[in-house]
Amino acid sequence: MTRRGRIVAWTGGALGVLLLGAAGVGVWAYVQLDGNIRGADISIDGKRPTNLSPGSKNILLVGSDSRAGANAKYGKDLTTMQSDTLMVLHIAANHEWATALSFPRDSWVQIPSCTRGNGTKSSPHHFKINEAFSIGGDSGDISKAAACTIKTVERNTGLRIDNFASIDFQGFKGMVNALDGIEVCPKHAIHDKKAHLDLEAGCQTVRDEKALGYVRTRYSVGDGSDLGRIGRQQEFMKALGQKAQDKLTSPGSLYNFLDSATKSVTTDRDLDSIDALTDLASTVKDIPSDRLTFVTVPNYYREADVPTDKANVVWQYPQASQLFSDLAHDRELGAAGKKRLAEASKNPVTAHSVQVRVLNGTGTPGQAASAAEQLRKLGFTVIATGNAPATDKTTLTYPAGLKVQSEVLAAHLSGAKATESAGAAPGAVTLTIGPDFAAKFGG
């Protein structure tokens, strides 16, 4: 239950699991709840990743704090939709295992060009991953918010996203209140003005604003990072899933819980019904508990690459690339895989530790210097620039012993693969710029 509870709650699958045994709510309630769920027509433009494992499913899950309506008080000077929580649930083609992959909201990634609410296009750039939701949702259109978020996740992971679901603040509160609150046990008192939270140390039951504040609090707990918040959210959702199964035995209590949950859920058209969510929940609940894996994208603080940035994290390569590839090819991570990631996280190969020679093979003057500047902004150490014979494609070469360093750089260039070369300059990875560099680097 400890693993299943978290997945059930976050997929909206709690609706399905409870409905499987909830005939007492009746046909009228079923129709009412089904009508609560909002469906969004999500259109993704541009080239998308190929589905490399037919039959498997990747569902993008967003904890949304839209600043519209009743949510307006939760963010000063924020007028767009925000995504507080972001993860991909991968369900294997054989339905025998699943992985929930969390993305820290402070992940510094490539944000591709997206369509804003007014129809204009944003420019590709690097920023926090959660900005994608607000770019598309700048006018309150969740369809565009979802589209930009999906596009960003696909661009940075290579995973093909099949479905989308989000839940907003107010619905979350209603779910907690329908359960008469959830017990939390903070080791230290929490006083966070941004999250509207004042809690004393020790076990206590939270509901309403305190429940919402507890899963949102960040700066006043631990090291103030989003990584700590992810852990607290997962534990809270675990407790919510457990209490929902234990407490919701009467049709009345069940209906109140489901009414709040369904009113807060927005999905793509393939999931916008009780039947679809029930089917999803049935699939998840049959997966053995020891084959439900929860993992956060391996990362380290960006300060290691850019000393002035003390607020963000960057993904750790090549471990992140391998993780994405495993899911794309429907390969199970499991406990052994999690252990490998944990061990690798102790000594990450940072971008700053990678020395790069940048050569211009486009024939257009200044391209090497421009590329070098872009790489320096990401923290890479550029030791030289120069010219190379004309080439049609951007290439990466490395001398013996620098394979991992080359993979760190390759991870920032869409579709790029590094090759070992006896003629490569010693001590550095050589990047030769071709006419496709802008598309590979900028998304």
Side-chain angles (χ1 to χ4, degrees):
M1 178 61 209
T2 56
R3 293 186 177 92
R4 182 176 292 119
R6 285 178 282 184
I7 260 202
V8 161
W10 266 114
T11 59
L15 312 179
V17 170
L18 293 169
L19 282 169
L20 291 175
V25 298
V27 174
W28 173 84
Y30 176 93
V31 173
Q32 189 78 11
L33 295 172
D34 193 68
N36 284 346
I37 302 171
R38 289 165 291 181
D41 293 311
I42 302 172
S43 176
I44 316 296
D45 61 353
K47 185 178 179 180
R48 302 186 65 189
T50 302
N51 182 355
L52 300 177
S53 55
S56 67
K57 189 179 288 292
N58 291 315
I59 306 170
L60 184 65
L61 307 170
V62 173
S64 166
D65 59 341
S66 166
R67 304 308 185 181
N71 288 335
K73 62 184 176 182
Y74 297 118
K76 182 180 179 181
D77 299 326
L78 294 175
T79 59
T80 62
M81 292 180 170
Q82 308 290 315
S83 60
D84 253 19
T85 304
L86 186 65
M87 69 170 64
V88 168
L89 172 65
H90 176 88
I91 301 175
N94 62 12
H95 293 177
E96 294 180 0
W97 61 273
T99 294
L101 176 63
S102 293
F103 302 95
R105 61 174 290 179
D106 294 336
S107 297
W108 189 265
V109 300
Q110 297 179 45
I111 308 291
S113 175
C114 291
T115 302
R116 298 189 182 94
N118 63 7
T120 62
K121 290 278 192 177
S122 64
S123 298
H125 61 286
H126 285 77
F127 205 72
K128 297 174 187 284
I129 195 170
N130 71 322
E131 188 200 34
F133 201 76
S134 60
I135 289 176
D138 61 354
S139 63
D141 186 341
I142 196 167
S143 297
K144 289 186 174 65
C148 190
T149 303
I150 291 171
K151 192 173 182 180
T152 298
V153 170
E154 289 187 342
R155 175 67 177 79
N156 286 276
T157 67
L159 295 172
R160 174 73 177 231
I161 301 301
D162 301 295
N163 295 108
F164 169 87
S166 73
I167 183 170
D168 74 8
F169 277 174
Q170 293 302 315
F172 174 82
K173 267 197 321 185
M175 292 166 67
V176 172
N177 289 347
L179 299 175
D180 295 327
I182 299 296
E183 186 180 59
V184 298
C185 299
K187 294 181 179 180
H188 306 284
I190 304 173
H191 303 290
D192 189 336
K193 292 182 179 180
K194 290 186 176 181
H196 302 277
L197 180 66
D198 284 293
L199 281 183
E200 298 304 318
C203 294
Q204 56 205 285
T205 298
V206 296
R207 55 182 295 154
D208 293 315
E209 301 301 322
K210 284 191 174 182
L212 190 54
Y214 184 78
V215 296
R216 293 185 65 240
T217 189
R218 168 182 178 178
Y219 299 103
S220 300
V221 184
D223 63 1
S225 75
D226 191 47
L227 305 179
R229 175 163 56 179
I230 288 175
R232 287 189 297 277
Q233 288 174 343
Q234 289 180 342
E235 289 304 311
F236 193 96
M237 297 310 292
K238 176 187 69 175
L240 185 146
Q242 177 70 70
K243 192 168 185 179
Q245 287 195 344
D246 293 343
K247 183 177 175 61
L248 298 181
T249 56
S250 72
S253 296
L254 175 62
Y255 179 81
N256 290 337
F257 178 83
L258 295 178
D259 188 46
S260 293
T262 51
K263 282 179 179 177
S264 70
V265 170
T266 301
T267 72
D268 64 273
R269 291 299 181 188
D270 289 340
L271 288 181
D272 67 348
S273 68
I274 293 293
D275 286 343
L277 292 175
T278 298
D279 289 343
L280 174 62
S282 297
T283 299
V284 172
K285 77 182 185 65
D286 289 336
I287 295 173
S289 294
D290 62 353
R291 298 188 71 182
L292 292 175
T293 304
F294 294 82
V295 64
T296 299
V297 177
N299 62 84
Y300 60 90
Y301 289 107
R302 189 168 180 251
E303 184 180 7
D305 294 331
V306 182
T308 57
D309 186 351
K310 303 182 186 301
N312 299 301
V313 299
V314 291
W315 295 348
Q316 179 185 347
Y317 295 103
Q319 288 77 17
S321 295
Q322 184 60 56
L323 175 57
F324 302 148
S325 179
D326 284 344
L327 293 181
H329 290 88
D330 208 26
R331 294 190 292 257
E332 187 172 7
L333 177 67
K338 283 192 68 175
K339 185 176 180 179
R340 286 195 301 271
L341 290 178
E343 287 298 317
S345 69
K346 297 176 182 178
N347 295 290
V349 177
T350 66
H352 185 69
S353 70
V354 179
Q355 296 190 335
V356 187
R357 292 174 67 241
V358 183
L359 303 181
N360 181 10
T362 67
T364 303
Q367 294 302 300
S370 176
E373 181 60 25
Q374 293 179 72
L375 293 178
R376 288 189 180 103
K377 288 180 179 178
L378 293 180
F380 288 96
T381 301
V382 179
I383 62 172
T385 60
N387 293 314
T391 180
D392 293 332
K393 295 182 178 180
T394 297
T395 61
L396 278 174
T397 58
Y398 63 92
L402 293 185
K403 184 177 187 295
V404 172
Q405 286 79 356
S406 72
E407 291 174 339
V408 172
L409 179 55
H412 293 271
L413 301 170
S414 178
K417 292 185 178 180
T419 57
E420 184 174 346
S421 172
V429 178
T430 298
L431 171 65
T432 303
I433 303 296
D436 59 342
F437 176 75
K440 284 182 172 294
F441 187 81

